[in-house]
Amino acid sequence: MDPKPTGAALLLAPAARGGAAVRFPPAEPQRAHFPAVDEHLVAPEVTRDELIRGRKVVAAPALEPHAEQQVRLDFLIAPHLRPGYIGAADLITRVAEGSDFATDLSIRRAGTDPATGRRYLEELSFEIVNEQSMRDAREKAEDLVARGVRRVFAIFVKRDEVAEWSAAEGRFVPLAPDATIEDLCLVRPVPVRALLDGAAAEREVVRALERKGNSEIEAIKTRERKAALDEGRRAGLDEGRRAGLDEGQRAVLLRQLRARFGEVPEARREQVLAASGERLAVWAERILTASTLDELFEG
């Protein structure tokens, strides 16, 4: 999403047991204690509001570049998920005391985290940055990593670039166009280029589904193998028929040669036995006019 700042520095949220509102000032990511991932400060699917360190932003509707990149991202990543992992679009997470926001796509373990009794925290996160400010993208990445998200990626639409957040460097580090994203959440590496190119994404989706043993792809492969076997069988039958016809033509020609010229020398007999069907047909015509064996076999 491309959040838009509203200018508000603080958000008033209702207290857990009623009474006075609780005030959340801007703060650095909390490391010692985190609220539950689904204890929200905002009302998901009711308001477009999000919080980044107590600063309210609005998750605005997307322009074409962002919206089209969102479809490509979701289309590519979903088939690459390893069994036991779930992908989610725009899933809001309570990241810190003052941060409650969503990223464009996240990947988490399926099921319930026994340590919390709630859903698992996402392990990978992807943010599409088009009109969104770099401040928002940076602070989101910092908070996510501080919370425990293993890897945070950003797709910078205007730069046609994919980058990964580096906590050590405090910035998004661009990934080479020919690089791949490898992770235990994924059944195979995802090429960076496929995140930016629709045709490349389609190829990688097919390869991911094949790696996962998709039943429809396996059925297509089975049909193709059967068609190839059938074609080979037909070719073998045709070849067998041709070989049988040639053998019959050789036997007939040898009988005709003996009837016309007497006993056929062994060298000429071997020549007949080794000849192609086309050559046998030529000799079968010449036998009507040739006066000697040598004349028949000339040329």
Side-chain angles (χ1 to χ4, degrees), residues 113-281:
D113 185 347
T116 65
R118 302 173 187 263
R119 69 166 172 85
Y120 283 96
L121 176 71
E122 46 264 57
E123 297 190 23
L124 270 64
S125 176
F126 293 83
E127 184 77 356
I128 299 170
V129 181
N130 185 40
E131 297 297 329
Q132 182 179 178
S133 72
M134 275 303 302
R135 176 189 177 184
D136 286 354
R138 183 185 69 252
E139 290 184 352
K140 278 185 169 185
E142 289 173 344
D143 283 9
L144 287 166
V145 170
R147 178 68 202 251
V149 177
R150 291 192 293 105
R151 305 177 74 180
V152 177
F153 298 90
I155 301 174
F156 295 98
V157 177
K158 294 177 180 178
R159 302 205 298 257
D160 200 33
E161 179 181 271
V162 180
E164 181 170 6
W165 178 257
S166 169
E169 298 185 33
R171 68 185 182 97
F172 281 104
V173 178
L175 302 178
D178 59 350
T180 59
I181 296 173
E182 299 184 43
D183 195 89
L184 58 85
C185 296
L186 308 171
V187 294
R188 61 186 300 277
V190 174
V192 168
R193 174 48 54 191
L195 288 163
L196 303 170
D197 180 85
E202 289 181 356
R203 291 193 295 272
E204 297 307 320
V205 164
V206 173
R207 291 166 181 160
L209 292 174
E210 182 180 21
R211 176 69 62 85
K212 293 170 80 170
N214 178 268
S215 59
E216 185 58 30
I217 288 183
E218 290 302 313
I220 292 172
K221 289 164 64 177
T222 298
R223 289 195 294 270
E224 289 177 345
R225 285 194 295 267
K226 183 178 183 301
L229 288 172
D230 290 345
E231 181 63 27
R233 194 174 294 113
R234 285 193 295 271
L237 289 173
D238 291 343
E239 183 64 28
R241 292 191 193 98
R242 286 193 295 272
L245 290 172
D246 289 347
E247 285 301 313
Q249 195 170 359
R250 290 187 185 98
V252 170
L253 182 59
L254 287 172
R255 288 198 298 270
Q256 290 174 329
L257 291 176
R258 284 195 294 270
R260 181 76 186 277
F261 302 108
E263 192 61 32
V264 180
E266 185 61 25
R268 292 301 187 188
R269 182 175 179 279
E270 292 295 330
Q271 193 173 353
V272 170
L273 294 177
S276 65
E278 291 79 6
R279 176 55 59 183
L280 292 171

